[in-house]
């Protein structure tokens, strides 16, 4: 989706290191989400934010942290407490109610060095 | 807890033929929304089709249509005239009206034989 930019495309983490994945959107959407995808599996929700300065834990928040200081940005930090961080990470946004779908970025592939 | 189940890990279809991917879900809510997403090898998540639970009419988008059976909590995706570009992972997802969360199934890999 051209309106959601995730960077970097590939990221490598050393033991004990925190890394931050970027997600920026120009769609003016209120809600933003972070998902984790492991090989051959579906998406699992890490964190989500409905408005600026507010966010909630998803199903697998342990070892991750987020911030939502601006409407356009929702960075995800993978901390050293996340012992198995190797996965594909997807950011999504959504606006409105009802049947509005989530729109996804192109993802970041995180690997351990 | 709400769950979404895709019981077919992999399906195969001959080019130009029709294939149906299955999805069932479990919810106690009466208002919810259902989606099918496609994830090609590029790993982008692309919306294929959506269905509102309050609508009885099945959604259709060109070659893609759904068979929504609310009482059975079933939401299958039918792809007609399959094309090589349809080969991808397909994910079924459900969002309750009371929640911002989208619950995904585990996915079905679709192979298209030329």
């Amino acid at each position: 989706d051209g309106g959601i930019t995730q960077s970097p495309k590939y990221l490598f983490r050393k033991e004990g290191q925190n890394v931050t994945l970027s997600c920026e959107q120009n769609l003016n959407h209120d809600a933003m989400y972070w998902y984790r995808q492991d090989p051959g599996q579906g998406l699992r929700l890490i964190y989500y934010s409905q408005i600026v300065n507010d966010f909630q834990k998803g199903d697998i928040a342990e070892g991750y942290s987020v911030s939502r200081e601006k409407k356009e940005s929702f960075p995800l930090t993978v901390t050293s407490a996340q012992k198995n961080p190797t996965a594909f990470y997807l950011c999504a946004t959504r606006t409105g109610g009802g049947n509005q779908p989530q729109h996804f970025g192109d993802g970041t592939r995180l690997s351990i060095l | 807890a709400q769950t979404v189940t895709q019981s077919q890990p992999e399906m195969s279809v001959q080019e130009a033929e029709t294939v149906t991917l299955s999805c069932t879900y479990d919810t106690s809510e009466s208002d919810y929304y259902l989606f099918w997403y496609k994830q090609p090898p590029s790993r982008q998540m692309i919306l294929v089709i959506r269905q509102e639970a309050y609508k009885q009419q099945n959604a259709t988008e060109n070659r893609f249509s759904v068979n929504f059976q609310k009482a059975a909590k079933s939401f299958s995706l039918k792809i007609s005239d399959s094309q090589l570009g349809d080969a991808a992972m397909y994910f079924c997802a459900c969002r309750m009206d009371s929640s911002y969360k989208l619950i995904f199934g585990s996915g079905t890999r679709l192979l298209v034989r030329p």
Side-chain angles (χ1 to χ4, degrees), chain B residues 81-110:
Chain B
D81 185 25
S82 296
Q83 300 175 0
L84 295 177
D86 294 333
M89 284 290 289
Y90 285 82
F91 291 97
C92 177
C94 180
R95 185 178 71 80
M96 313 307 156
D97 195 38
S98 61
S99 170
Y100 280 79
K101 294 173 60 174
L102 195 58
I103 309 298
F104 284 87
S106 57
T108 295
R109 181 176 302 280
L110 179 65

Side-chain angles (χ1 to χ4, degrees), chain A residues 31-88:
Chain A
M32 298 186 74
Y33 307 78
W34 274 106
Y35 291 92
R36 170 179 171 140
Q37 186 178 26
D38 292 286
Q41 298 187 29
L43 279 65
R44 293 185 291 167
L45 183 64
I46 304 172
Y47 268 99
Y48 65 103
S49 169
Q50 299 173 23
I51 56 172
V52 175
N53 293 322
D54 185 55
F55 49 82
Q56 287 80 40
K57 292 182 178 180
D59 300 317
I60 55 165
E62 185 175 350
Y64 300 96
S65 66
V66 294
S67 63
R68 186 85 186 274
E69 298 176 0
K70 300 185 301 181
K71 188 175 186 177
E72 301 79 16
S73 179
F74 191 43
L76 173 74
T77 297
V78 184
T79 74
S80 57
Q82 172 51 246
K83 298 305 179 187
N84 184 22
T86 297
F88 188 63

